[in-house]
Amino acid sequence: MHKEDTLTKNQQIIFDLIDKSPEPMKAYSILHDVQKKGIKAPLQVYRALDKLVEIGKIHKIESRNAFIACHNSSCQVSKATAFSICEICEKVTEISSASLSKYLTNFKDKDGMKYSKYNLEFFGLCKKCR
Amino acid sequence: MHKEDTLTKNQQIIFDLIDKSPEPMKAYSILHDVQKKGIKAPLQVYRALDKLVEIGKIHKIESRNAFIACHNSSCQVSKATAFSICEICEKVTEISSASLSKYLTNFKDKDGMKYSKYNLEFFGLCKKCR
DNA sequence: TTTAAATTGTTATAATATAACACTATGTAA
DNA sequence: TTACATAGTGTTATATTATAACAATTTAAA
């Protein structure tokens, strides 16, 4: 499976940065942080991000245009993602719920259509902000 | 409830355009189409879009940066949205499933936290593209 | 009717993302 | 080992998406 694939230099630098970050990181903030490592252009960042998303090492939080490392060990969920987002402090947490992913993976629309790929973003207030 | 609110001129022009469109519309494509009606600047479009999203008349498809009219009559779902997106033709359909919205509205995360607001995007192939 | 709130119009600019092209590294097959 | 395909890199330029700041106007409620 893909997750074990060796990352290239740029991919590794950018993954390490995102993985260490306690919060989702934006592309240009990543760019700023890796310039000292020789990554100078937005495209270098976006290419690494694209690849990391593709292989499931990171996820994009669509509503925030930001990226976080995947913390689900199981590979199936890399294209079936769910997050909770605090509307005050912007804390983002990946939800790993077997019942949720089972429900959504088995969900059929009006036409009986199933979708193995989805992205779900819940919004509310986190513990601290409540 | 908000949906019955009267729209302002710009909001009405932009809502009508989106409502008539068979597919999600992007902000600058909207701008292009409404220039003949006197809306000349991006900000005029974004302001109307923000308001229309806020009152639930339209939804933003986050993964596409595009906007579609809401076709659910019930107001509760305006902040609890679900869509299917065809990865080939980009057709987007709003899903109105009582069981889905019930499941997600009642979903509790590890900490027992519930979220009344969410956005779900399913990806796959539509009937035509399969 | 005056006053607060929302909306508008406008210019400028910020933030996010991709096109195009030349070059380099890496793995695979002859 | 060579040669070939594939993926990744570096670079410049540019496209796309979105907001800041400020003055003027409209609207609706007290």
Side-chain angles (χ1 to χ4, degrees), chain B residues 47-115:
Chain B
R47 283 197 284 226
L49 290 173
D50 285 351
K51 189 67 185 183
L52 290 167
V53 166
E54 185 192 328
I55 64 180
K57 298 280 288 182
I58 65 173
H59 304 302
K60 182 172 186 181
I61 309 302
E62 293 286 355
S63 66
R64 300 299 186 259
N65 298 317
F67 300 85
I68 65 170
C70 174
H71 290 113
N72 282 317
S73 52
S74 66
C75 206
Q76 308 97 289
V77 290
S78 61
K79 300 206 162 176
T81 51
F83 306 94
S84 66
I85 302 172
C86 175
E87 292 185 295
I88 292 180
C89 74
E90 292 291 324
K91 179 178 166 60
V92 174
T93 307
E94 186 168 2
I95 294 173
S96 23
S97 159
S99 71
L100 178 64
S101 65
K102 191 177 167 190
Y103 182 89
L104 292 176
T105 301
N106 290 323
F107 175 79
K108 288 180 195 168
D109 69 17
K110 268 188 251 179
D111 300 331
M113 173 79 186
K114 275 197 196 183
Y115 303 88

Side-chain angles (χ1 to χ4, degrees), chain A residues 21 32 54 57 63 84 90 95 103-104 109 111 123 127:
Chain A
S21 172
H32 174 266
E54 185 193 328
K57 298 279 288 181
S63 66
S84 67
E90 293 290 324
I95 295 172
Y103 183 90
L104 292 176
D109 69 15
D111 301 330
F123 304 92
K127 268 187 174 173

Side-chain angles (χ1 to χ4, degrees), chain B residues 28-29 41 44 59 90 104-105 112 125-127:
Chain B
Y28 277 72
S29 153
Q44 295 176 288
H59 304 302
E90 292 291 324
L104 292 176
T105 301
L125 303 184
C126 74
K127 267 186 176 175

